[in-house]
Amino acid sequence: MNHHHHHHNHHGEAGFKRKVDYLDRPERSEVLSPEDFLQAMPIRKTASILDLGAGTGFLTIPAAKLVDNTVFALDLDAKMLELIESKAKEAGLANVETLEASMDDIPLEANSVDVVLASLVLHEADSLADVLREVSRVVKTGGYFASLEFDTKGTDLKGPPMEIQISAEKLKEELAGFGFEVVKNWQLDEGMYVSIAVKK
């Protein structure tokens, strides 16, 4: 098992700041703004949302502005969660709840959330199946799973190493095994794609 993708474990202030700058970089919004990502599926005001590997809150904060219900920001990195909490406070948002946990062990009840978001985090999981099993467990029937991932197909675009990339086809197959049907799939620049799936 290669553990090179656990880069989020060695911190240090400088490393943390670099990661924050990278995750919050303006280009990230140019490829896909958080708003466009969230608008790719019908999210009601009453929806509860789980942001997996929430990082800097790139999606958490815009999601929390969209809904009145709780937006759960899940990340293994307590520092990232603190950052999200301070961003939520700055934005006057009282509906963000942080969860310091792993994507394959989500501390939420079964069938408790309407929408799960995963932006550029699935490739970091040790086991995609374990993560999707958990996602399937916590999402309500009729709920959505929205994923932004890299599939650079051997091009020279920047992204994680090819061997840990998850192609749209592979994701679709894996999701089907956990009761999800992909209803939207589209390519973006930079070798990224979005898949929106509904839990049957």
Side-chain angles (χ1 to χ4, degrees):
M1 186 71 189
N2 52 357
H3 283 289
H4 65 266
H5 54 292
H6 286 302
H7 50 242
H8 44 52
N9 293 346
H10 18 252
H11 296 314
E13 282 306 315
F16 176 71
K17 177 154 180 11
R18 263 201 313 277
K19 183 167 180 188
V20 168
D21 290 346
Y22 175 72
L23 291 173
D24 274 352
R25 67 197 186 281
E27 307 88 76
R28 193 168 169 193
S29 290
E30 284 162 24
V31 177
L32 180 70
S33 76
E35 290 76 15
D36 287 348
F37 186 52
L38 293 163
Q39 277 160 13
M41 65 213 121
I43 298 179
R44 292 187 303 278
K45 271 298 220 194
T46 53
S48 58
I49 298 176
L50 166 63
D51 186 7
L52 290 181
T56 60
F58 179 76
L59 287 172
T60 308
I61 301 301
K65 289 175 180 167
L66 265 189
V67 299
D68 301 328
N69 209 331
T70 311
V71 176
F72 298 99
L74 181 142
D75 206 287
L76 276 174
D77 189 333
K79 273 212 169 88
M80 287 290 183
L81 297 175
E82 277 166 34
L83 179 67
I84 288 174
E85 281 167 9
S86 67
K87 281 188 182 180
K89 198 170 284 168
E90 266 168 54
L93 298 165
N95 59 335
V96 172
E97 196 176 313
T98 55
L99 303 170
E100 192 177 333
S102 167
M103 295 187 285
D104 55 19
D105 188 12
I106 302 169
L108 291 174
E109 299 286 310
N111 308 312
S112 62
V113 292
D114 296 290
V115 177
V116 176
L117 309 170
S119 174
L120 306 181
V121 291
L122 291 180
H123 62 266
E124 292 192 356
D126 284 331
S127 160
L128 178 61
D130 287 350
V131 173
L132 296 182
R133 181 178 297 114
E134 274 292 86
V135 167
S136 179
R137 183 182 68 78
V138 301
V139 176
K140 297 172 187 173
T141 302
Y144 288 86
F145 174 63
S147 168
L148 172 65
E149 265 306 324
F150 287 102
D151 182 9
T152 57
K153 297 197 172 76
T155 52
D156 52 3
L157 292 163
K158 290 178 187 54
M162 286 306 291
E163 71 271 14
I164 61 168
Q165 289 188 17
I166 300 161
S167 71
E169 292 74 37
K170 176 174 163 57
L171 182 60
K172 185 178 174 172
E173 275 168 34
E174 292 265 352
L175 278 166
F178 293 103
F180 283 92
E181 184 189 334
V182 172
V183 288
K184 260 190 207 177
N185 198 73
W186 75 96
Q187 293 294 136
L188 302 165
D189 298 338
E190 307 282 317
M192 292 181 215
Y193 69 92
V194 173
S195 285
I196 310 284
V198 173
K199 183 176 164 186
K200 290 296 174 200

